[in-house]
Amino acid sequence: MKSVFKGFLSYVFLAVVVIASSLILSGASDKELLNYISPLYETLYRINYFYYDIKNVKFDKLIDSAIDGMVKGLGDDFSYYYPPSQMTEQQIEMEGQYGGLGIEVTYDSENRAVKVVSPMYGTPAWRAGLQAGDLIIGIDDQPVSEMEYMEAVNKMRGKPGTSVKLTIKRGNNIIEVTIVREIIQIIPVKSGITEYNKTKIGYVLITKFNEPVPSELQKALRKLYDQKIDALILDLRNNPGGLLDVAINVANQFLDAGKIIVSVKDRDGKITERYISEGNNYPKVPMAVLVNNGSASASEIVAGALKENNRAVLIGQKTFGKGSVQRGFPLSNGGTVFLTIAHYLTPSGKDIHKVGIEPNLKVEETQGATNTTVRKMDAKTYTLTEIEVDQNDPVVKVALDYLVKQIKNEQ
């Protein structure tokens, strides 16, 4: 038994380090620190020496559960823990391809559910009609409230071609939907041109801010400007965000040099970083950015920068309101704990976390049978880089009318 006890002492040390880091920064005394840590050690000690089924106890899983529960105890939906097995999958996703349903999610501590930030365009979840704000409360008839967050995420992933049943709470309604898993190929940038009232308008859709975006966006913009477009629409609807440096690069491709893109405020209220545009050589045509409540994080950085620097108008719905900065702290067990360490501020200094950004022109998106049909048809094109612009989309229609009017006013 001593060898087992020695083995789990290393895990105790790991957990102690995680707790101690936060307590020391909060000014806890050594005595207070020990008081906080003692119950965790006592529990592991009792398990090791008294638990009946000790042969089947996996201490690494216990520690994973303890860290996951500790982070959930913060009550911050955007702080989370990835065990070692999850880190490889996360890296694959940011590189552009992974297996699953195609939804960006977070943990909703208040409802003990998985919350949909956004379904990614054209993916199985998008085709099934999942919406930003949906609460996933059951997976294959198992309550999410009884699962660890990453356990729930992993249950939604699986072998392509297999199905998973989701129980969803949308407002006061409970919906059940079965979705077939696919290899999710994230084509992050799509573009097209449409003629509207004798005006040539370019359209760029960014589905996620991952690593391929900057170079793909440059290709798309060169192609559009080479065709002498008169105006441009940037569609960030249902874009759940992604990498900060990618968002900065995207904003650079639309803003003049010297413009503030975003600032970072730490927990003491100090501005620790300020990102300034380096500029670009593209023509400054009239521009509209499309947003909705599925536009989050990096999408809001770009939308806020373009709106407040008067480079574009925002059209659609208020954005999600995810303006917090997470930093990953690698742990000695191979896992990583991601903690909120700061908030993003728009160029004017607004903290939009849990508030969102209001559009200049508000347009409600239609839902219902017609929209479901359109989703199924459009899904065929989700792996293409060049797509047709849907002039029947009510948000796109408002943007087209606005841009044509702006062009006429400038003539």
Side-chain angles (χ1 to χ4, degrees), residues 217-287:
L217 178 59
Q218 289 177 3
K219 293 177 187 176
L221 290 177
R222 286 196 209 101
K223 189 179 296 182
L224 294 177
Y225 286 123
D226 285 347
Q227 297 181 61
K228 309 297 182 183
I229 59 172
D230 301 303
L232 178 66
I233 295 173
L234 175 63
D235 196 342
L236 299 179
R237 290 176 296 174
N238 292 321
N239 183 321
L243 302 172
L244 172 61
D245 59 337
V246 173
I248 301 302
N249 190 299
V250 168
N252 273 326
Q253 298 190 47
F254 299 110
L255 292 174
D256 290 334
K259 299 292 185 180
I260 297 175
I261 297 173
V262 68
S263 301
V264 179
K265 177 183 70 174
D266 68 14
R267 65 183 189 177
D268 296 321
K270 298 178 181 178
I271 302 299
T272 58
E273 293 177 279
R274 181 168 281 126
Y275 295 90
I276 308 297
S277 174
E278 298 176 356
N280 58 82
N281 296 319
Y282 297 123
K284 293 298 181 290
V285 299
M287 184 175 176

Side-chain angles (χ1 to χ4, degrees), residues 149-186:
Y149 170 55
M150 287 315 305
E151 179 184 359
V153 171
N154 288 331
K155 280 185 178 294
M156 289 186 283
R157 291 176 173 172
K159 186 177 179 180
T162 61
S163 62
V164 60
K165 178 183 176 183
L166 302 183
T167 304
I168 296 167
K169 183 178 181 183
R170 182 178 297 162
N172 295 322
N173 299 319
I174 301 297
I175 303 167
E176 291 188 345
V177 58
T178 298
I179 307 176
V180 178
R181 300 178 179 95
E182 295 179 3
I183 291 295
I184 305 301
Q185 295 181 334
I186 302 174

Side-chain angles (χ1 to χ4, degrees), residues 79-232:
S79 291
Y80 53 96
Y81 170 66
Y82 273 174
S85 60
Q86 185 58 31
M87 288 308 300
T88 300
E89 290 188 37
Q90 178 69 2
Q91 291 167 0
I92 291 172
E93 180 174 340
M94 292 314 300
E95 289 169 2
Q97 178 174 306
Y98 68 101
L101 305 180
I103 45 175
E104 187 83 7
V105 296
T106 186
Y107 183 73
D108 189 309
S109 55
E110 181 179 350
N111 294 286
R112 298 183 66 193
V114 172
K115 185 176 184 179
V116 176
V117 175
S118 178
M120 285 176 272
Y121 176 83
T123 60
W126 186 88
R127 299 199 298 269
L130 268 63
Q131 300 175 16
D134 282 349
L135 295 177
I136 300 173
I137 59 175
I139 302 172
D140 286 334
D141 295 321
Q142 298 180 38
V144 171
S145 60
E146 298 177 3
M147 304 177 192
E148 297 175 14
Y149 170 55
M150 287 315 305
E151 179 184 359
V153 171
N154 288 331
K155 280 185 178 294
M156 289 186 283
R157 291 176 173 172
K159 186 177 179 180
T162 61
S163 62
V164 60
K165 178 183 176 183
L166 302 183
T167 304
I168 296 167
K169 183 178 181 183
R170 182 178 297 162
N172 295 322
N173 299 319
I174 301 297
I175 303 167
E176 291 188 345
V177 58
T178 298
I179 307 176
V180 178
R181 300 178 179 95
E182 295 179 3
I183 291 295
I184 305 301
Q185 295 181 334
I186 302 174
I187 308 299
V189 179
K190 307 170 188 295
S191 62
I193 291 180
T194 188
E195 294 279 346
Y196 187 77
N197 288 347
K198 299 180 180 180
T199 304
K200 187 181 291 186
I201 297 179
Y203 173 87
V204 175
L205 169 68
I206 300 180
T207 62
K208 189 175 178 68
F209 286 85
N210 60 7
E211 293 173 359
V213 165
S215 61
E216 294 301 314
L217 178 59
Q218 289 177 3
K219 293 177 187 176
L221 290 177
R222 286 196 209 101
K223 189 179 296 182
L224 294 177
Y225 286 123
D226 285 347
Q227 297 181 61
K228 309 297 182 183
I229 59 172
D230 301 303
L232 178 66

Side-chain angles (χ1 to χ4, degrees), residues 300 319 321-323 344-346 350-357:
E300 294 173 291
T319 62
K322 198 271 188 184
Y344 295 122
L345 302 181
T346 64
K350 294 178 182 177
D351 186 337
I352 57 93
H353 189 62
K354 294 189 175 180
V355 176
I357 302 174

